[in-house]
Amino acid sequence: MAGLRTKLHEQLFVGAHPDGRLTILNRLLIITIVLAIVAAALSTEPTIPPHWHRALLLSEFVFGTVFLLEYLARIFAAAEDEGEGSAWDKRWRFIRSPLGIIDLLVVLSTLMPLIVADAAMLRMLRLMRVIAVMKFGRFSYAITELWRAISDRIDDLIITAAVAFILVLFGATALYMIEGHIQPEAFGSIPRALYWATITLTTVGYGDVVPITPLGKVFAAGLAMSGIAFVAMPTGIIVAAFSDAMQRRRDHLIDDMRRHLEALDIEDEHIEAKIAALERSRSRPRQ
């Protein structure tokens, strides 16, 4: 039983396998997740023929069964996680973890539509099946590092968001003062002007609300130019943080390789010493 648990842990949990790569089982699970998401998206199309609809219902049962077995296997294998605590403590820790909760929600959203009759609840559960895409997070080291990078730079991102809010508020206030009496429906109040300021700052610019006075156009142009800088600021912060995270990952791998090489050197020295001892014992004359 312990051997099976160890093997499942290596196959299911990313990074547990000695070579650190995705295992065959994890790759099969990725394919299953993709197919489940495609089936969930297709099930919302009302013009699907009846025989395809029946096939999608069958696929729901198949995917739900696979996800349920995966969830139970992960709970069983979680006892092999590193750290303190008994096997059941580690399993309970996995169940309460964000990834464990996501796995449970995916299982429920996939299987519940097969037993729920209420139409509104059924529709909501069917739409929830697309959360299976969140399971990809455990299969990508890059996604994990990106999240860590964002967490490390959260203060910088908060400051950037505060600057963006100030720009939006300033633009909305300026257009309210300049064109509030000319276009009351669009700029008659600061909250109304906030819509225009937001889509202008984000460089979307739908064109449904535009200033018509020369001064208003000047402020609009300035706000649009500020939007370019606003988009670049958080992007630069996240890219720099992600680059730092990747560098830390490379440094960690280099340190691991050095430790392994040092261990191999020590083993070589021990082996050479044993060989030398055997040669000395063999060369001694017999009494």
Side-chain angles (χ1 to χ4, degrees):
M1 186 68 70
L4 174 62
R5 190 170 60 197
T6 302
K7 190 65 176 177
L8 276 176
H9 189 267
E10 290 182 356
Q11 287 290 319
L12 287 173
F13 288 86
V14 176
H17 198 270
D19 62 8
R21 298 182 179 181
L22 288 179
T23 62
I24 296 176
L25 184 55
N26 275 326
R27 292 175 182 175
L28 292 176
L29 286 172
I30 290 174
I31 295 174
T32 304
I33 293 170
V34 171
L35 293 176
I37 295 171
V38 171
L42 290 176
S43 65
T44 62
E45 175 55 50
T47 61
I48 292 180
H51 63 279
W52 283 108
H53 182 68
R54 288 191 294 270
L56 288 174
L57 288 177
L58 178 61
S59 70
E60 289 180 9
F61 175 77
V62 173
F63 293 137
T65 302
V66 171
F67 291 145
L68 176 60
L69 293 176
E70 178 207 0
Y71 179 65
L72 296 176
R74 287 186 184 276
I75 294 176
F76 174 70
E80 296 295 319
D81 285 346
E82 297 180 355
E84 300 179 353
S86 64
W88 284 106
D89 289 336
K90 295 177 181 178
R91 288 168 179 155
W92 179 238
R93 193 182 307 149
F94 166 75
I95 293 173
R96 293 180 300 169
S97 68
L99 289 177
I101 294 173
I102 290 173
D103 287 341
L104 179 60
L105 289 176
V106 169
V107 171
L108 293 177
S109 63
T110 307
L111 290 177
M112 286 299 290
L114 302 177
I115 58 178
V116 173
D118 182 76
M121 180 64 68
L122 180 62
R123 181 178 178 83
M124 184 184 71
L125 289 172
R126 288 185 183 278
L127 291 176
M128 279 185 61
R129 286 179 300 162
V130 297
I131 67 173
V133 71
M134 299 177 67
K135 290 169 67 67
F136 281 124
R138 65 157 41 93
F139 298 113
S140 175
Y141 177 82
I143 293 177
T144 303
E145 286 300 322
L146 179 60
W147 175 249
R148 290 178 181 175
I150 293 175
S151 300
D152 291 341
R153 301 296 179 92
I154 190 66
D155 292 338
D156 297 337
L157 293 174
I158 289 175
I159 293 174
T160 303
V163 171
F165 175 75
I166 292 173
L167 287 174
V168 169
L169 186 61
F170 174 77
T173 303
L175 265 294
Y176 163 69
M177 295 176 63
I178 296 170
E179 299 204 0
H181 62 288
I182 300 175
Q183 300 187 74
E185 292 185 1
F187 303 107
S189 66
I190 293 178
R192 293 182 186 180
L194 278 174
Y195 163 75
W196 168 86
T198 301
I199 63 172
T200 303
L201 184 66
T202 55
T203 69
V204 176
Y206 294 126
D208 54 342
V209 178
V210 293
I212 57 177
T213 63
L215 185 58
K217 292 179 179 179
V218 169
F219 274 94
L223 190 62
M225 294 299 294
S226 301
I228 298 175
F230 164 70
V231 172
M233 286 173 60
T235 302
I237 292 171
I238 294 174
V239 168
F242 187 67
S243 177
D244 293 342
M246 291 296 100
Q247 185 61 48
R248 288 195 300 269
R249 171 65 173 172
R250 287 190 290 268
D251 294 341
H252 179 70
L253 291 175
I254 292 172
D255 292 339
D256 283 344
M257 292 177 64
R258 286 175 177 169
R259 284 194 293 268
H260 287 311
L261 289 174
E262 291 174 357
L264 289 175
D265 290 339
I266 294 173
E267 290 180 1
D268 287 343
E269 292 176 0
H270 289 168
I271 293 173
E272 290 176 359
K274 289 181 180 179
I275 293 174
L278 289 173
E279 290 177 345
R280 287 194 300 270
S281 65
R282 186 176 58 182
S283 62
R284 290 175 186 170
R286 294 184 179 179
Q287 299 295 333

